[in-house]
């Protein structure tokens, strides 16, 4: 009894905390200063054209500019592209580049660099759906690029933003070497607001203001340092001690609660809508007894999402009920949420023919989790073990000592239940479809490893991928989300509680949908640190 | 005269050991579940089968294991440690960047531990049953029995958070620019806590050892003679006894080098010290075989060298060993 | 049979050492502490019996905040007291098994090398050097990722990397003792090699080996804690190391879930080391007085 009251109190308190938005009213931006960003993510190299992910994305978007960027309400904004226009049939997009843009070596940025970059990304980037319909990029003059599509592709604008499509210099990367492991990936010649000074792998990346950046007067900062720290408690202490100024992508609840109370620090939870990091419990729908939808529903009812959010994550995370992040305009709030209902779970299991044995157990399952992010994955798996015991399901937690061990099990279908953490990446075409299309049941992670197949879902997703009308597209996704909610190939738990902590004298901290994975040319110090 | 030949023989033999270490670990790590392409896929947020196959082909992971081992050994013979799968740059470059922080940390810790250990041991040996002697044995046991990462965390909380005297992490501050003496100072400031943490574990052994050998030596005939000649306690301890008591400490210090590297791994983790231990740990998790094997190769090389140096200084300190012995 | 009875029994120094040991106050204290710890681990369930995996209260409840949860809860809301009592068994077991593996391999290698000498010695000592050159924790990490972490893997990994020191010690003892008169005597009356090794030399070589084995238990427990801290412990068996590993991200605000098992490990290793030191002093009369 007392337990529930405490949990409720915690939830209210955290909701109040989240309501406090950081003061963003800024005076005249000031030039100069140095920003130390601290992160656990160690990039392999610095070229986002051939390496997706946050680790490369954060420094990569400072070094390279893209055609577009997005604001905090999912609207495209000009960046390297001054303007852009769709053809009426939706089969071509004309982009006009800014005139004065140059790479860090002084060469002008032209439409042929754009064409080269897009085709390189199409050939090398893991997110194949981004540019699959792009047949060619025409370059009628140095500052015009025309994208020719094989079918309408509403996700294209988003794919042209942020870390997803950096504009890289053809005169450097077009030398015939494989771009995927080009030496220049470690010493890039970029197009963005900051240029590389030093890259010490796994340690530190030092960037410096690029004086000939194509936006007049930007960036405001003289220098940006990305320091890589592997231990979350060290991150927290370094922020407290003022050894770093900004901590993006931070999701450890204990550290969040601690840093919230540190004077001189501010935080925001905005800036993570684009990446859409979802934490969920996946079922291997090919295996008995999980091939029975009633068993999957029973497990969903037996697991208490509120406990995970309020007790395990101390109220820092937001609930997630469906496959598309709830802050996206495509999210359908009408779907079944599977709030805790142990009686219903028991009834469903009985109905499915899994009576309790003499020891009270119905059957045994294993659960895997991604090692390294304990609070989102391992702790939830441990909780699920103790929770499912209540409905007569015995669960073995199978630890993986490291990521490749987990990835090997999941990609080969050797699992019953697994915790998983999957990113939406802005448009559903990029990050959502892959999990549910029956054509994407493949032996690689973050494909449809659930083995889920539904013809209606396949048809809906194929149609939505090409639907130019936003309202129609939303309706298609709404129906898709209903089917997924009914058939529970996945039980959705929460959005990763990403927070950006920063020195409160920093202004214009990145809160667009891409957060720190978009150019930080607008960030400045409102007073000296 | 035989010393040079001895050194070469030992070095040659050490090299064989190092290659043995690499071969054993090569076979073990390749047998472990999970492959490097999965790691890169994970870092990318998911990739296609074709890209997985490309990655495996690029690093030769699609070849039979004996062929891979052969290629690797052929490269090792040319002192080429290969390319890191994860960082896509030469392993030698990564190790070159990380080896000095580890050497600095380990040597500093070793010096602190030996110095304090000997001082404590000598003081304790003067009254083997006295209260200070008891204190030394209890204190050194306490330091040894506490898990090293725990000691480290406690030191951070005490001296970086509660009393902010020392920096929390790293080998130099992110903001620091410049070089020379100011940089050395900055590094020294960062070095205090990690080196102390690492020294604490080994302090116990040195204190215990020097206490024991001092007691033994102080009872020996030549010391009695020196005393009988009316030499003061100070000269007796420092000129006669300590010199002989240092020999076993040297031996142990050499043997400890291997353990010190293990301890360094944990300390580097706690203090975010950019050393080889962390690199190796991350490489295991990332299945970055070339980097892991490169670190093992160098780490075992360091142990081989440390043992050799120990033996040589032993030979210098004690001429008897030069003629006899193995 | 009758023949071998005439082999002169080596005078066992054990009884005499025991007397010395009892005079050593820190050692006796260590032994008492160790007995209490082992007692709690073996019979703790009479005091408090529950499933250490059960979530009993709000996560990270401080000790003493709630009646009945005297040691607080961990990051999942599991009772720390249950964890400490139930986690001690596996921890001690890892320590003991690792020490056993160390001692068995170490004594075997060292005895054969020291007794036979020649090429056997050369071969075995090369092998020993090989394992000494191998960085222990890194090698244990490789082994644990290869076999996936479990109590036995961890114990095996620790044993594999720690035996060389015992082997060297054993060899040195065997080298010394095999030249002594009573060994020559035993050989002269036709005792076999196996018998001499096991029945004549080994008992006399035992004292330093006992000390070393005792200390190895402590080292192994610390080693397990280190592996767990790195996230490579057995996640399915509650142990003190696992408790530290799983709770370590919360240490800044909740001291107890890391510090209590840390303290338990510390006290155990401390006690074991005091006992080991006491044995060492007791077996080594030179150290007793000037």
């Amino acid at each position: 009894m007392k337990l529930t009251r405490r949990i409720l109190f915690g939830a209210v308190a955290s909701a109040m905390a989240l309501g406090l938005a950081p003061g963003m009213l800024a005076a005249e931006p000031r030039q100069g200063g140095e920003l130390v960003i601290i992160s656990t993510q160690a990039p392999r190299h610095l070229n986002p054209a051939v390496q997706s992910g946050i680790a490369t994305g954060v420094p990569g978007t400072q070094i390279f500019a893209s055609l577009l960027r997005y604001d905090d309400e999912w609207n495209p904004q000009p960046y390297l592209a001054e303007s852009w226009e769709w053809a009426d049939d939706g089969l071509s997009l004309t982009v006009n580049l800014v005139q004065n843009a140059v790479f860090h070596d002084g060469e002008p940025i032209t439409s042929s660099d754009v064409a080269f970059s897009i085709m390189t990304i199409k050939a090398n980037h893991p997110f194949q759906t981004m540019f699959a319909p792009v047949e060619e990029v025409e370059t009628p003059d140095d500052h015009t690029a025309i994208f020719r599509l094989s079918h309408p592709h509403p996700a294209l604008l988003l794919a042209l933003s942020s870390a997803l499509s950096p504009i890289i210099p053809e005169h450097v990367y077009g030398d015939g070497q494989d771009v995927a492991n080009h030496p220049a990936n470690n010493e890039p010649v970029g197009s963005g607001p900051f240029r590389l000074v030093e890259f010490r792998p796994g340690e530190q990346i030092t960037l410096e203001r690029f004086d000939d950046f194509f936006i007049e007067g930007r960036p405001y900062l003289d220098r940006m340092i990305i320091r890589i720290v592997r231990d979350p408690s060290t991150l927290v202490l370094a922020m407290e001690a003022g050894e770093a100024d900004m901590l993006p992508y931070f999701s450890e609840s204990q550290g969040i609660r601690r840093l919230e109370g540190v004077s001189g620090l501010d935080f925001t939870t905005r800036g993570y809508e684009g990446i859409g990091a979802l934490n969920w419990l996946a079922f291997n729908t090919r295996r008995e007894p999980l091939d029975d939808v009633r068993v999957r529903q029973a497990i969903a009812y037996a697991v208490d999402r509120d406990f995970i959010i309020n007790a395990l994550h101390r109220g820092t995370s937001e609930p997630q009920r469906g496959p598309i992040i709830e802050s996206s305009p495509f999210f359908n709030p009408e779907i079944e949420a599977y709030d805790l209902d142990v009686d219903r779970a028991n009834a469903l299991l009985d109905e499915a023919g899994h009576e309790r044995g003499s020891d009270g157990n119905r059957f045994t399952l294993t659960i895997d989790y991604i090692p390294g992010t304990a609070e989102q994955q391992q702790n939830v798996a441990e909780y699920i073990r103790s929770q499912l015991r209540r409905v007569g399901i015995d669960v073995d937690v199978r630890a993986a000592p490291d990521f490749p061990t987990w990835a090997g099990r999941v990609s080969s279908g050797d699992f019953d239940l697994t915790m998983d953490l999957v990113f939406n990446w802005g448009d559903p075409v990029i990050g959502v479809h892959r999990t549910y299309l029956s054509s994407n049941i493949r032996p690689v992670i973050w494909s449809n490893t659930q083995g889920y197949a539904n013809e209606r879902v396949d048809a809906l997703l194929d149609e939505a991928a090409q639907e130019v009308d936003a309202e129609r597209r939303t309706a298609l996704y709404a129906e898709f989300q209903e089917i997924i909610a009914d058939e529970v190939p996945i039980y959705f738990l929460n959005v990763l509680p990403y927070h950006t902590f920063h020195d409160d004298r920093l202004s214009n901290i990145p809160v667009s949908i891409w957060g720190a994975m978009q150019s930080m040319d607008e960030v400045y110090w409102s007073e000296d640190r | 005269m035989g010393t040079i030949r001895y050194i070469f023989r030992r070095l040659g033999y050490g090299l064989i050991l190092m290659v043995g270490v690499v071969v054993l670990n090569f076979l073990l790590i390749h047998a472990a579940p999970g492959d490097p392409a999965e790691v890169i896929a994970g870092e990318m947020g998911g990739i296609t089968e074709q890209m997985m196959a490309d990655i495996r082909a690029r690093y030769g992971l699609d070849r039979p294991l004996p062929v891979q081992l052969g290629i690797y050994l052929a490269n090792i013979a040319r002192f080429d440690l290969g390319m890191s799968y994860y960082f896509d740059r030469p392993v030698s470059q990564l190790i070159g960047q990380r080896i000095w922080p580890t050497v600095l940390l380990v040597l500093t810790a070793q010096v602190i531990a030996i110095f304090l250990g000997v001082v404590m041991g000598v003081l304790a040996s003067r009254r083997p049953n006295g209260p200070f002697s008891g204190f030394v044995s209890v204190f050194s046991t306490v330091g040894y029995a506490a898990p090293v990462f725990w000691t480290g965390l406690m030191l951070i909380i005490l001296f970086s958070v509660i009393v902010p005297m020392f920096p929390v992490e790293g080998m130099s501050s992110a903001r620091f620019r410049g070089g020379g003496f100011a940089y050395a100072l900055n590094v020294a400031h960062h070095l205090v806590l990690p080196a102390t943490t690492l020294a604490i574990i080994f302090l116990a052994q040195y204190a215990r050892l020097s206490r024991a050998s001092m007691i033994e030596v102080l009872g020996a005939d030549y010391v009695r003679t020196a005393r009988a000649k009316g030499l003061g306690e100070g000269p007796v301890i420092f000129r006669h006894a300590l010199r002989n008591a240092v020999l076993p400490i040297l031996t142990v210090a050499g043997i400890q080098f291997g353990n010190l590297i293990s301890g360094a791994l944990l300390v580097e983790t706690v203090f975010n010290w950019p050393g080889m231990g962390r690199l190796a740990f991350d490489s295991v998790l990332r299945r970055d075989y070339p980097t892991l094997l490169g670190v093992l190769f160098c780490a075992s090389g360091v142990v081989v060298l440390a043992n050799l140096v120990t033996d040589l200084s032993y030979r210098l300190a004690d001429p008897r060993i030069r003629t006899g012995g193995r | 049979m009758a023949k071998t009875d005439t082999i002169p029994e080596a005078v066992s120094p054990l009884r005499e050492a025991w007397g010395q040991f009892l005079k050593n106050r820190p050692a006796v204290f260590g032994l008492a502490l160790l007995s209490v710890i082992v007692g709690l681990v073996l019979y703790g369930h009479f005091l408090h019996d529950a499933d250490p995996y059960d979530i009993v209260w709000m996560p990270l409840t401080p000790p003493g905040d709630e009646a009945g949860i005297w040691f607080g809860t961990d990051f999942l809301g599991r009772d720390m007291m249950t964890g400490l009592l139930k986690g001690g068994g596996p921890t001690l077991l890892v320590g003991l098994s690792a020490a056993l593996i160390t001692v068995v391999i170490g004594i075997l290698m060292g005895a054969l090398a020291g007794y036979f000498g020649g090429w056997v010695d050369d071969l075995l000592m090369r092998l020993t050097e090989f394992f000494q050159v191998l960085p222990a924790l890194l090698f244990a990490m490789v082994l644990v990722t290869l076999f996936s972490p479990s109590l036995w893997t961890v114990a095996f990994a620790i044993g594999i990397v720690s035996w060389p020191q015992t082997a060297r010690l054993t060899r040195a003892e065997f080298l010394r003792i095999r030249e002594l008169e009573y060994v020559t005597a035993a050989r002269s009356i036709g005792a076999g090699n196996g018998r001499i090794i096991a029945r004549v030399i080994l008992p006399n070589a035992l004292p330093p080996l006992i000390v070393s084995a005792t200390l190895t238990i402590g080292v192994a427990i610390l080693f397990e804690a280190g592996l767990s801290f790195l996230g490579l412990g057995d996640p399915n068996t509650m142990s003190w190391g696992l408790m530290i590993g799983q709770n370590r991200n919360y240490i800044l605000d909740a001291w107890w879930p890391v510090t209590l098992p840390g303290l338990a490990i510390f006290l155990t290793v401390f006690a074991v080391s005091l006992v080991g030191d006491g044995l060492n002093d007791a077996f080594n009369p030179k150290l007793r007085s000037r």
Side-chain angles (χ1 to χ4, degrees):
Chain A
M1 277 284 94
K2 206 170 171 186
L3 188 71
T4 9
R5 248 190 290 129
R6 283 200 175 192
I7 292 174
L8 284 175
F9 176 73
V12 172
S14 73
M16 282 164 61
L18 290 178
L20 297 169
M24 295 298 297
L25 283 174
E28 188 67 10
R30 283 153 39 105
Q31 198 78 43
E34 172 179 85
L35 174 67
V36 178
I37 297 175
I38 196 168
S39 164
T40 50
Q41 307 258 355
R44 295 184 60 219
H45 57 72
L46 300 173
N47 184 0
V50 293
Q51 172 74 42
S52 55
I54 299 170
T56 298
V58 174
T61 48
Q62 313 312 317
I63 296 170
F64 293 100
S66 48
L67 289 178
L68 302 174
R69 44 182 170 184
Y70 268 64
D71 65 10
D72 57 348
E73 284 177 324
W74 299 85
N75 302 310
Q77 301 291 332
Y79 192 23
L80 259 174
E82 222 164 37
S83 61
W84 59 95
E85 196 180 1
W86 280 106
D88 289 340
D89 58 3
L91 289 175
S92 72
L93 176 77
T94 307
V95 174
N96 301 303
L97 303 181
V98 294
Q99 301 284 328
N100 57 342
V102 292
F103 287 108
H104 294 171
D105 59 359
E107 296 286 319
I109 301 176
T110 66
S111 54
S112 73
D113 289 309
V114 171
F116 173 77
S117 303
I118 299 302
M119 288 307 163
T120 302
I121 295 166
K122 180 178 173 174
N124 291 285
H125 199 283
F127 301 163
Q128 299 275 300
T129 53
M130 289 197 303
F131 297 121
V134 176
E135 289 186 324
E136 75 177 306
V137 180
E138 291 174 10
T139 54
D141 64 55
D142 272 1
H143 295 96
T144 310
I146 303 172
F147 290 72
R148 298 283 179 204
L149 308 179
S150 56
H151 60 71
H153 183 41
L156 181 61
L157 288 186
L158 205 121
L160 290 178
S161 72
S162 165
L164 297 176
S165 44
I167 300 306
I168 58 175
E170 184 177 16
H171 62 273
V172 173
Y173 289 98
D175 62 359
Q177 295 189 64
D178 187 0
V179 184
N181 54 347
H182 199 285
N185 292 345
N186 287 323
E187 289 160 7
V189 174
S191 47
F194 294 92
R195 59 182 198 82
L196 182 72
V197 177
E198 192 190 22
F199 173 28
R200 295 174 74 82
E203 259 186 83
Q204 187 162 308
I205 300 161
T206 309
L207 307 174
E208 202 174 59
R209 179 179 203 271
F210 175 49
D211 292 331
D212 296 328
F213 185 53
F214 60 88
I215 302 179
E216 194 57 36
R218 305 272 183 81
Y220 295 128
L221 296 168
D222 282 344
R223 191 175 272 262
M224 185 185 285
I225 289 160
I226 300 173
R227 174 84 145 199
I228 295 141
V229 166
R230 301 291 278 172
D231 190 77
S233 352
T234 315
L235 283 179
V236 172
L237 291 175
M239 280 306 281
E240 273 190 68
E243 288 176 25
D245 308 313
M246 187 193 279
L247 168 58
Y249 298 96
F250 188 64
S251 65
E252 304 277 331
S253 71
Q254 193 74 15
I256 289 171
R257 287 290 175 250
R258 187 176 168 99
L259 288 177
E260 278 171 357
V262 174
S263 69
L265 289 184
D266 234 333
F267 73 95
T268 178
T269 55
R270 294 166 65 207
Y272 300 108
E273 295 81 359
I275 193 167
L278 308 186
N279 195 37
W280 72 46
L281 172 67
F283 301 100
N284 188 344
T285 63
R286 287 158 296 201
R287 280 206 182 167
E288 282 193 16
L290 297 169
D291 55 348
D292 187 333
V293 64
R294 289 168 298 189
V295 173
R296 303 200 296 266
Q297 286 171 339
I299 292 174
Y301 279 120
V303 173
D304 186 3
R305 184 188 285 124
D306 286 343
F307 183 85
I308 293 169
I309 289 172
N310 293 314
L312 298 186
H313 301 161
R314 264 157 283 264
T316 54
S317 60
E318 296 288 322
Q320 175 67 33
R321 287 163 288 175
I324 300 178
I325 186 168
E326 297 202 4
S327 56
S328 161
F330 292 119
F331 175 67
N332 174 5
E334 307 295 318
I335 54 175
E336 170 66 43
Y338 294 96
D339 289 327
L340 177 68
D341 191 340
V342 174
D343 292 341
R344 188 136 175 218
N346 276 314
L348 278 164
L349 289 169
D350 287 342
E351 194 189 312
H354 300 287
E355 301 288 334
R356 281 176 190 264
S358 52
D359 57 353
N361 275 348
R362 301 173 193 272
F363 49 82
T364 303
L365 295 174
T366 60
I367 185 167
D368 290 274
Y369 60 85
I370 304 177
T373 47
E375 195 164 74
Q376 298 299 320
Q377 294 271 303
Q378 185 184 357
N379 299 5
V380 177
E382 293 282 351
Y383 159 74
I384 287 173
R385 161 185 14 214
S386 65
Q387 185 66 11
L388 289 187
R389 211 173 271 186
R390 290 195 188 175
V391 294
I393 302 174
D394 199 27
V395 177
D396 282 332
V397 178
R398 282 203 307 182
D402 48 25
F403 182 83
T405 311
W406 173 84
R409 284 175 190 162
V410 172
S411 58
S412 61
D414 169 30
F415 70 100
D416 294 337
L417 307 174
T418 184
M419 291 297 302
D420 204 343
L421 213 166
V422 182
F423 293 178
N424 271 189
W425 288 108
D427 195 283
V429 166
I430 303 172
V432 177
H433 289 206
R434 56 180 176 168
T435 316
Y436 309 95
L437 284 172
S438 65
S439 58
N440 203 32
I441 300 179
R442 294 181 302 144
V444 288
I445 47 166
W446 300 325
S447 61
N448 184 351
T449 44
Q450 289 67 240
Y452 174 71
N454 180 313
E455 280 177 21
R456 181 65 191 150
V457 164
D458 290 345
L460 283 168
L461 292 180
D462 286 344
E463 209 183 326
Q466 305 189 23
E467 180 54 66
V468 189
D469 181 71
E471 221 164 286
R472 280 275 308 143
R473 200 170 176 223
T474 310
L476 293 168
Y477 280 129
E479 190 187 341
F480 152 72
Q481 290 170 74
E482 265 166 41
I483 299 174
I484 297 300
D486 288 344
E487 302 203 327
V488 264
I490 285 165
Y491 176 53
F492 301 93
L493 298 169
N494 62 285
V495 182
L496 230 67
Y498 278 144
H499 282 56
T500 305
F501 285 90
H502 60 90
D503 191 299
D504 61 8
R505 292 163 295 188
L506 267 181
S507 289
N508 276 349
I509 56 149
V511 292
S512 78
I513 59 161
W514 288 120
M517 252 198 296
Q518 186 157 287
S519 160
M520 288 190 243
D521 56 316
E522 295 167 49
V523 178
Y524 68 93
W525 287 99
S526 58
E527 46 183 293
D528 288 337
R529 71 170 307 286
Chain B
M1 49 137 223
T3 307
I4 303 291
R5 255 182 64 200
Y6 173 79
I7 292 177
F8 274 103
R9 221 184 60 215
R10 284 286 302 267
L11 280 180
Y13 176 62
L15 210 58
I16 296 174
L17 283 185
M18 286 158 69
V19 171
V21 165
V22 170
V23 170
L24 177 68
N25 283 283
F26 182 96
L27 296 175
L28 288 176
I29 193 76
H30 275 81
D35 85 69
E38 298 269 21
V39 178
I40 294 169
E43 204 57 34
M44 293 246 199
I47 61 178
T48 61
E49 291 130 289
Q50 184 53 48
M51 297 176 80
M52 297 269 282
D54 288 348
I55 292 171
R56 290 193 190 107
R58 186 187 310 155
Y59 297 124
L61 289 162
D62 49 356
R63 311 251 192 110
L65 197 57
V67 176
Q68 288 186 49
L69 179 61
I71 294 173
Y72 185 78
L73 288 178
N75 288 337
I76 281 271
R78 288 180 279 127
F79 287 96
D80 174 5
L81 295 173
M83 293 284 279
S84 159
Y85 298 163
Y86 189 85
F87 286 118
D88 235 336
R89 56 171 78 201
V91 169
S92 51
Q93 196 185 335
L94 289 172
I95 291 179
Q97 184 196 328
R98 301 294 193 101
I99 195 166
W100 302 114
T102 298
V103 168
L104 179 67
L105 174 66
V106 167
L107 281 183
T108 314
Q110 185 79 289
V111 167
I112 296 177
I114 292 179
F115 178 75
L116 287 183
V118 168
V119 167
M120 285 168 72
V122 167
L123 292 178
S125 69
R126 301 190 57 192
R127 275 193 202 82
N129 299 314
F132 185 76
S133 182
F135 167 78
V136 165
S137 54
V138 171
F139 174 82
S140 58
T141 313
V142 165
Y144 157 85
V148 51
F149 53 88
W150 191 73
T151 315
L153 283 169
M154 291 301 130
L155 286 180
I156 292 182
I157 290 177
L158 271 177
F159 296 110
S160 298
V161 179
I162 297 178
V163 190
M165 286 163 62
F166 296 104
V168 172
E169 59 91 24
M171 191 171 88
S172 61
S173 9
R175 294 182 215 285
F176 188 84
R177 280 202 300 285
F181 187 63
Y183 178 73
L185 265 188
N186 192 280
V187 171
H189 192 205
H190 282 76
L191 183 61
V192 174
L193 291 186
T196 309
T197 309
L198 194 52
I200 283 176
I201 352 170
F202 296 98
L203 186 61
Q205 265 164 309
Y206 296 130
R208 205 176 295 158
L209 201 68
S210 54
R211 170 176 172 267
S213 46
M214 279 301 285
I215 292 174
E216 204 171 326
V217 170
L218 286 176
D221 291 338
Y222 62 96
V223 175
R224 288 214 192 103
T225 322
R227 274 217 185 87
K229 281 197 290 186
L231 229 58
E233 194 71 356
V236 166
I237 288 182
F238 288 103
R239 203 172 303 159
H240 294 273
L242 197 54
R243 247 176 109 173
N244 290 287
V246 154
L247 278 180
I249 291 176
L250 277 181
T251 320
V252 171
I255 293 173
Q256 285 300 349
F257 239 87
N259 295 333
L260 216 52
I261 289 176
S262 294
L265 199 165
L266 293 168
V267 171
E268 284 173 10
T269 306
V270 174
F271 290 93
N272 200 41
W273 190 261
M276 284 211 301
R278 278 235 55 107
L279 184 65
F281 177 51
D282 287 340
S283 304
V284 174
L285 301 190
R286 289 170 183 152
R287 296 290 185 283
D288 190 349
Y289 308 149
T291 310
L292 173 70
L293 295 174
V295 173
L296 282 165
F297 189 72
C298 293
S300 47
V302 168
V303 177
V304 166
L305 274 185
N307 287 346
L308 180 59
V309 170
T310 310
D311 286 357
L312 286 179
S313 49
Y314 214 102
R315 285 157 75 95
L316 286 179
D318 191 349
R320 275 170 302 173
I321 299 175
R322 237 174 290 170
T323 46
R326 301 177 289 126
Chain C
M1 253 327 188
K3 244 193 205 170
T4 51
D5 283 346
T6 59
I7 293 175
E9 276 298 319
V11 183
S12 160
L14 289 182
R15 187 178 298 271
E16 190 207 341
W18 178 242
Q20 279 298 328
F21 184 86
L22 289 180
K23 284 188 208 152
N24 183 337
R25 253 184 289 165
V28 172
F29 171 75
L31 190 62
L33 185 60
L34 195 60
S35 316
V36 171
I37 292 169
V38 171
L40 278 174
V41 164
L42 288 181
Y43 301 107
H45 57 272
F46 289 119
L47 293 175
H48 178 85
D49 193 21
D51 184 341
Y53 294 101
D54 271 352
I55 293 172
V56 298
W57 204 255
M58 280 297 291
L60 300 179
T61 307
D65 245 29
E66 288 298 333
I69 307 178
W70 305 116
F71 287 79
T73 61
D74 72 354
F75 69 104
L76 277 180
R78 302 180 294 200
D79 191 351
M80 289 295 298
M81 179 154 67
T82 323
L84 286 171
L85 289 173
K86 293 271 156 93
T91 304
L92 293 184
L93 199 63
V94 168
L96 282 173
S97 352
L100 196 70
I101 296 172
T102 306
V103 167
V104 167
I105 304 181
I107 288 186
L108 203 67
M109 296 284 182
L112 294 179
Y115 183 78
F116 290 109
W119 67 269
V120 180
D121 186 24
D122 268 350
L123 185 75
L124 293 180
M125 278 303 106
R126 293 292 165 264
L127 197 65
T128 313
E129 269 173 47
F130 175 75
F131 277 90
Q132 265 187 323
V133 163
L134 206 55
L137 193 55
L138 277 179
F139 185 59
M141 274 166 48
V142 173
L143 281 179
V144 168
T145 40
L146 173 59
F147 296 110
S148 89
S150 76
L151 275 193
W152 301 116
T153 319
V154 172
F156 174 73
I158 300 171
I160 281 290
V161 295
S162 351
W163 63 265
Q165 240 158 330
T166 311
R168 283 185 173 271
L169 196 64
T170 312
R171 175 175 173 275
E173 285 297 300
F174 268 65
L175 279 178
R176 182 176 65 82
I177 297 173
R178 76 170 180 191
E179 307 298 339
L180 296 183
E181 272 170 33
Y182 55 80
V183 179
T184 328
R187 205 173 282 132
S188 68
I189 54 174
N193 286 334
R195 196 170 183 87
I196 294 179
I197 288 177
R199 298 287 288 274
V200 184
I201 304 185
L202 192 56
N204 290 288
L206 267 185
L209 293 179
I210 292 175
V211 174
S212 149
T214 317
L215 292 173
T216 306
I217 297 176
V219 172
I221 291 175
L222 286 175
F223 212 106
E224 194 252 348
L227 279 175
S228 294
F229 173 78
L230 294 173
L232 296 171
D234 180 351
N236 284 313
T237 313
M238 188 61 77
S239 74
W240 291 337
L242 182 75
M243 293 169 83
I244 291 180
Q246 290 192 340
N247 286 295
R248 76 171 177 113
N249 283 347
Y250 308 95
I251 189 165
L252 296 181
D253 290 287
W255 57 269
W256 58 95
V258 173
T259 304
L260 292 178
L263 210 59
I265 288 176
F266 164 71
L267 287 176
T268 311
V269 177
F270 184 58
V272 168
S273 311
L274 287 180
V275 171
D277 284 352
L279 290 174
N280 194 30
D281 285 1
F283 286 134
N284 204 345
K286 271 190 232 155
L287 294 181
R288 265 174 241 146
S289 58
R290 255 204 236 178

